[in-house]
Structures are given as structure tokens and as C-alpha cells.
Amino acid sequence: MRIRRTIIAALALLAAAACSKDNVILYGDTEIGNVVDGRFHSDAGLVYTVTEQTCDGKLEDDTRVLIICDVLKRTGDKSYDIRLRSFILPLCKQPVAEGVLSEEDSREDPVSVASAWFGGGYLNINMGVYVLPESETKHVFNLVHYTKAGSDTLYLDLKHNANGEYFGAPDIKDSDLQSGGLWACFPMEGVVPDGVKSVPVKLSWMWHRLEDGNMVEDTERHSLKGVFER
């Protein structure tokens, strides 16, 4: 009888564990896309409906957003219910043609590019800069586009006006600065001519040099090459 009671107790524990089984499809999914009619449409073609949320704020229609979520349930071929854990509204700004920017906004203060890719009709960039903690200095970013005679490449230059706040700036101790990251999305519509299906692209920016593995105040041009495809 004691053995039987032990077996029943064990089965009860197994049943309880089965009832509390975690059915989350995917934890910590990171996606970028647009909010349309209250639902998140990722650049990968997925449609997410927020049914749970653990962060403040609300996804507003007609905004581009990067989200971190848990995928809870499949509701269609490419649609899912999600738990929204956090989200970021990236800088969204139209690229400008060469020669349009003012001298100030054409500055090439240091900015790093951690990653850059095309998706959803945008050039998406994860970038980094140095800032003073709690500073109210406005950092301005622009993407300049141009072509060169005899070349089929689209050239993109990422410009950064730090308004005097950067690593190596006069009157600022480097040790007082801290690194900060941000996301930016630049739409390619109007930059790549209509009817062009594919074009090679070169993205350039100014960032610090390394000497013996250490970053120095001097900067140099960095670049990435890719292809924009419709």
C-alpha cells in the first residue's frame, strides 16, 4: 500500500509538471520592422500581435521599431502572438544628396558602425559614439548618397556632428566620456532609382585608429561593401 501511495504521489507530481510545461516557442526574439494597424510586421515577413507586455510604452501605428519579445503562439502561416519585453524607436531619417548639407552637418566626427544591413527597404545601422554622461549636447547624424562617374556603385557616407562632444575633443577629458549606442534606419526609396533591382553599395564613416590594440584619438575612414536588392 505504501508503494502504491508513493507511485500515485509521483504520478501527481508528473501531472503537475506537465500542466505547467513552458509552451513558449522562442525566448528573446529580436526583430526590426514597422507597426501597421496595431500589429508588428517584421522585415523578415512575420506578423506579431502583442498579447502580453512586460515593458512600458505602446507600439504606435506607422512607426519603425526594434523589438525584443517572446514568441508565444502561432496563429497563422507567418503570424504569432508575442510577449513584448522591450522596444526601441530608432532614428529614422531620409538620406540626402551630396552637397545639400550645411558645413556643420557635413562634419565627420567619430562614429562607429557595429553592424549595417538592408531590410524592409531601409539601410539599418547599429552605431556607437562617445558622450558625456547626462549631457544635453545634441548629436546629429546624416546619411549622404552620391555616385561617381564611370561607376555603378552607390556611395553612402555616414556623417556625425557631435557638436564638440567626442573622444579626443578639446577641453574634454577622454576619461569623462562613456560609450553609447543607437540605431538608425535610412529609407532607400528615392535613393535607388525606380526600376533598378540591384545595386552595389559602399558605406563609409570616420572612426578612431588602433595602435597596438588601443584606440587613439586620431581617426581614419572605415567602410563596408554590400548590395541593395529590391
Side-chain angles (χ1 to χ4, degrees):
M1 181 66 96
R2 183 179 299 171
I3 294 175
R4 184 171 181 272
R5 283 199 298 268
T6 302
I7 293 174
I8 292 173
L11 290 174
L13 287 173
L14 288 173
C19 290
S20 63
K21 182 180 179 181
D22 192 341
N23 292 317
V24 173
I25 296 174
L26 178 64
Y27 284 101
D29 184 27
T30 302
E31 300 282 348
I32 191 169
N34 300 295
V35 183
V36 181
D37 295 331
R39 298 199 295 175
F40 173 81
H41 294 247
S42 78
D43 289 352
L46 303 176
V47 180
Y48 287 171
T49 300
V50 178
T51 58
E52 297 181 25
Q53 184 166 338
T54 60
C55 62
D56 294 330
K58 180 182 178 181
L59 299 184
E60 301 289 347
D61 279 345
D62 302 319
T63 56
R64 187 157 179 82
V65 61
L66 182 144
I67 68 170
I68 298 177
C69 67
D70 300 328
V71 181
L72 304 177
K73 178 183 177 182
R74 183 175 181 179
T75 57
D77 182 30
K78 292 185 177 181
S79 58
Y80 298 84
D81 288 344
I82 65 167
R83 177 191 300 124
L84 183 63
R85 293 170 50 181
S86 65
F87 65 91
I88 296 171
L89 299 177
L91 168 69
C92 288
K93 198 170 187 179
Q94 187 69 38
V96 296
E98 187 179 34
V100 171
L101 290 177
S102 66
E103 182 177 350
E104 279 299 301
D105 286 343
S106 296
R107 288 182 58 87
E108 292 187 305
D109 292 328
V111 56
S112 68
V113 173
S115 60
W117 72 98
F118 292 110
Y122 293 80
L123 172 62
N124 306 288
I125 304 178
N126 181 13
M127 65 180 84
V129 295
Y130 277 91
V131 297
L132 287 171
E134 302 181 6
S135 170
E136 295 183 359
T137 298
K138 183 179 180 181
H139 291 247
V140 180
F141 302 91
N142 284 285
L143 188 70
V144 174
H145 64 90
Y146 59 95
T147 57
K148 295 180 180 180
S151 172
D152 62 349
T153 298
L154 172 65
Y155 293 89
L156 302 173
D157 284 352
L158 180 62
K159 306 289 188 180
H160 172 212
N161 177 9
N163 283 304
E165 185 178 278
Y166 57 91
F167 186 84
D171 304 321
I172 295 180
K173 293 182 180 179
D174 292 343
S175 59
D176 290 340
L177 294 162
Q178 68 180 25
S179 60
L182 68 154
W183 297 81
C185 300
F186 299 95
M188 289 293 100
E189 184 177 357
V191 176
V192 178
D194 293 340
V196 176
K197 299 295 184 181
S198 175
V199 61
V201 176
K202 182 177 180 179
L203 172 66
S204 299
W205 64 96
M206 296 297 289
W207 186 240
H208 299 281
R209 292 192 301 106
L210 292 178
E211 290 185 358
D212 299 324
N214 297 312
M215 190 177 74
V216 298
E217 294 181 352
D218 292 342
T219 59
E220 63 184 2
R221 186 161 298 280
H222 297 252
S223 64
L224 286 172
K225 292 182 178 181
V227 177
F228 175 79
E229 296 180 327
R230 281 196 169 96

